[in-house]
Amino acid sequence: MLAAKVALVTGGASGIGRATALRMAGEGARVLIADRDGAGAERTAGAIVQAGGAARGIAADVTDEAAVAAMVRAAVESFGRLDCAFNNAGVAPAEAQPLAEIAPEEWARVLGVNLTGVFLCMKHEIAAMTTGGAIVNTASIAGRIALPKAGAYVAAKHGVIGLTKVAALDHAKDGIRVNAICPGYVETPLASRGIERRREAILARVPLGRIGTVEEIAEMVVWLCSDRAGFVTGEAIAVDGGHTAN
């Protein structure tokens, strides 16, 4: 589905980002993998190269505009252009807290990565997509519903969906499609601690009766980046086992 395309994945050292980078490469894309964990990004790229694909891993902080600009330049310089991007870098709240107890520093940290980071990435990716392209942003079920004691995270993920819709409208004329995915509970390093504490309660809310896999999320991202989704833009698609259908 992505033969000969150039893709950029943030948060690609582990979890959904790593699975998506591997899947994109398996579909023929050349992939630039970025993560604050530069060594982890390089390991993902190494796995792709070992399997016969083309990839490069770099360290990048999506809250730093200069680093984001350099990341996008690296993709273009490495592979000649940029066709699709998966803005997946994210952080979880440090702890579950009622809204009135969230420290301003924690609010800024969560929104800085999860929302401002998406804005900065899209700003520079769109400028590099001179012949059109596709962008997918990682939102969450927390972008579609409220989760108690997660005010900063919920605000950030609702914001990602809003940014996605605005970008889709603003840049449709440029041939750029912009969509978001809204994963439910998925077995990732970011989510594992919370899942283990509340597994039975979570499963009771999921009609399909199980936790999702990173590979299932990756399949949706790859499809949205491909030409098969050529008439899909401005959407926030749940991949959550029916959680938000309740």
Side-chain angles (χ1 to χ4, degrees):
M1 286 195 285
L2 301 181
K5 292 187 181 293
V6 175
L8 166 61
V9 176
T10 70
S14 63
I16 291 169
R18 176 181 169 86
T20 301
L22 294 172
R23 191 74 186 94
M24 285 174 158
E27 290 289 341
R30 293 168 288 167
V31 190
L32 189 288
I33 300 119
D35 200 289
R36 284 190 303 181
D37 176 6
E42 290 176 2
R43 284 193 293 273
T44 300
I48 290 170
V49 171
Q50 188 172 19
R56 178 184 173 192
I58 64 170
D61 179 353
V62 298
T63 68
D64 179 340
E65 184 167 10
V68 170
M71 174 187 75
V72 173
R73 281 198 307 273
V76 175
E77 289 169 0
S78 297
F79 303 117
R81 64 180 188 278
L82 182 64
D83 300 303
C84 47
F86 179 36
N87 298 318
N88 172 69
V91 294
E95 59 181 308
Q97 292 178 301
L99 185 66
E101 296 178 13
I102 299 172
E105 296 80 10
E106 173 67 359
W107 175 271
R109 182 185 74 89
V110 173
L111 268 74
V113 177
N114 293 333
L115 182 57
T116 302
V118 170
F119 157 68
L120 292 174
C121 287
M122 284 202 292
K123 175 182 176 180
H124 290 275
E125 291 158 358
I126 288 166
M129 291 178 173
T130 55
T131 59
I135 295 172
V136 179
N137 299 318
T138 297
S140 166
I141 57 170
R144 296 166 60 94
I145 61 175
L147 301 178
K149 297 184 178 180
Y153 190 77
V154 168
K157 294 304 186 178
H158 273 70
V160 168
I161 291 175
L163 276 180
T164 296
K165 291 178 179 290
V166 170
L169 295 178
D170 286 352
H171 296 284
K173 65 183 182 300
D174 301 316
I176 297 171
R177 297 183 299 103
V178 188
N179 293 288
I181 55 162
C182 300
Y185 288 95
V186 178
E187 296 282 6
T188 70
L190 187 67
S192 60
R193 183 176 62 177
I195 289 173
E196 285 311 310
R197 284 201 311 263
R198 302 174 50 243
R199 184 174 290 270
E200 293 306 315
I202 290 168
L203 292 178
R205 294 290 307 275
V206 181
L208 289 185
R210 65 177 177 83
I211 304 299
T213 70
V214 293
E215 290 79 14
E216 288 169 322
I217 309 303
E219 288 291 343
M220 178 59 75
V221 178
V222 169
W223 181 74
L224 286 170
C225 285
S226 77
D227 294 339
R228 294 186 185 183
F231 203 50
V232 181
T233 195
E235 289 299 314
I237 300 174
V239 190
D240 66 357
H243 189 142
T244 53
N246 288 327

